[in-house]
Amino acid sequence: MRVLVIEDEQKTADYLRKGLTEHGYVVDVARDGIDGKHLATEGEYDLIVLDLMLPGIDGYEVLTALRQTRETPVLMLTARDKVEDRVRGLQSGADDYLVKPFAFSELLARVQALLRRGRAQEPTVYRLADLEVDLVKRKAFRAGQRLDLTAKEFMLLTLLLRRQGQILSRTTIAEQVWDMNFDSDTNVVDVAIRRLRAKLDDPFAAKLLHTVRGMGYVLEVRADGK
Ligand code: CA
């Protein structure tokens, strides 16, 4: 089981790494929100322990970015025992929380409970017409045919599918899939869209991925099938 700890306080980070490692988890630590967001959205983790107050970008922003594409369970840590912080965290997609200071035994119990819950869940499958994307198996199908996607293409498709019917700008796509700001050069997005479209739509009569001129891209079923 791989756990990502996003925590800027050295002492707490060390304590969590040591404790979780002793209990058989493989632990990565990110020391700020930017690294944390990158690892959380690009890496493969079974669970994320996320401090809310972080330098760079805060825990809420990390959570929001993560939830665009991933269902990884998140246990948030908050130093402030304020109801509104916890509510905001849970609304942003956290699965559970702990208020600092906490006992390691309690953290471990919550980590174990979240991992059990995650395993008990049905696979997360998204569908649109004959398109099916299984987030757990990380496989995509159209009309039962497996689509041979790269990791980035899979992320791109998942993002579009989770927000089906919404036009996503190139900037949004660049931020979510590449974790970068392409202020002027969003060509990378167009290239990736073209490659995805070749696999997703070209072999099939009904097109799902549409270009909205001057605005971006949208994944949806259109009546005319084009
Ligand atoms: Ca902190």
Side-chain angles (χ1 to χ4, degrees):
M1 286 282 168
R2 293 176 60 88
V3 176
L4 173 63
V5 173
I6 308 176
E7 167 63 89
D8 58 308
E9 284 169 290
Q10 180 89 53
K11 213 176 123 197
T12 311
D14 288 349
Y15 169 71
L16 289 176
R17 186 201 287 276
K18 183 166 175 287
L20 288 168
T21 303
E22 281 171 3
H23 285 83
Y25 296 95
V26 175
V27 182
D28 285 341
V29 174
R31 298 293 305 280
D32 61 49
I34 294 160
D35 280 355
K37 178 180 155 188
H38 180 75
L39 286 173
T41 54
E42 298 287 314
E44 294 294 334
Y45 295 99
D46 299 292
L47 184 129
I48 297 168
V49 178
L50 174 67
D51 186 32
L52 286 182
M53 302 303 290
L54 294 166
I57 57 175
D58 69 16
Y60 302 110
E61 209 178 311
V62 174
L63 254 178
T64 305
L66 177 69
R67 287 291 175 254
Q68 304 296 336
T69 52
R70 300 280 179 102
E71 299 290 345
T72 318
V74 172
L75 173 62
M76 64 175 172
L77 305 178
T78 169
R80 298 174 296 181
D81 187 11
K82 283 190 193 157
V83 173
E84 56 266 35
D85 290 343
R86 300 200 297 261
V87 168
R88 190 177 160 205
L90 293 168
Q91 283 173 340
S92 303
D95 298 276
D96 200 358
Y97 66 89
L98 263 182
V99 176
K100 292 180 180 178
F102 53 84
F104 182 77
S105 57
E106 186 177 4
L107 177 119
L108 185 63
R110 285 172 187 271
V111 164
Q112 289 166 339
L114 283 175
L115 289 171
R116 268 198 306 276
R117 201 201 288 175
R119 277 198 299 277
Q121 269 172 4
E122 290 301 302
T124 313
V125 178
Y126 283 87
R127 289 190 180 85
L128 177 68
D130 61 357
L131 170 66
E132 186 176 304
V133 174
D134 188 322
L135 293 186
V136 175
K137 293 182 183 156
R138 300 189 67 72
K139 288 179 182 169
F141 301 88
R142 257 205 91 171
Q145 246 172 281
R146 172 91 186 265
L147 305 178
D148 183 21
L149 304 178
T150 64
K152 286 291 181 201
E153 287 161 359
F154 188 87
M155 278 182 76
L156 177 59
L157 178 60
T158 304
L159 173 67
L160 288 158
L161 189 54
R162 291 185 72 144
R163 302 232 216 135
Q164 55 186 265
Q166 293 176 35
I167 300 164
L168 299 183
S169 70
R170 287 172 179 77
T171 308
T172 299
I173 293 171
E175 282 171 3
Q176 298 297 332
V177 178
W178 284 268
D179 194 25
M180 286 171 72
N181 293 303
F182 294 91
D183 289 333
S184 51
D185 180 19
T186 48
N187 187 44
V188 65
V189 174
D190 298 329
V191 170
I193 288 277
R194 205 152 55 227
R195 292 197 177 130
L196 176 61
R197 186 174 266 150
K199 297 174 183 178
L200 174 76
D201 275 348
D202 287 0
F204 303 94
K207 310 304 177 196
L208 298 176
L209 179 50
H210 308 278
T211 305
V212 183
R213 201 174 295 274
M215 293 180 75
Y217 297 100
V218 61
L219 197 72
E220 66 187 3
V221 176
R222 291 191 175 168
D224 60 3
K226 289 183 187 132

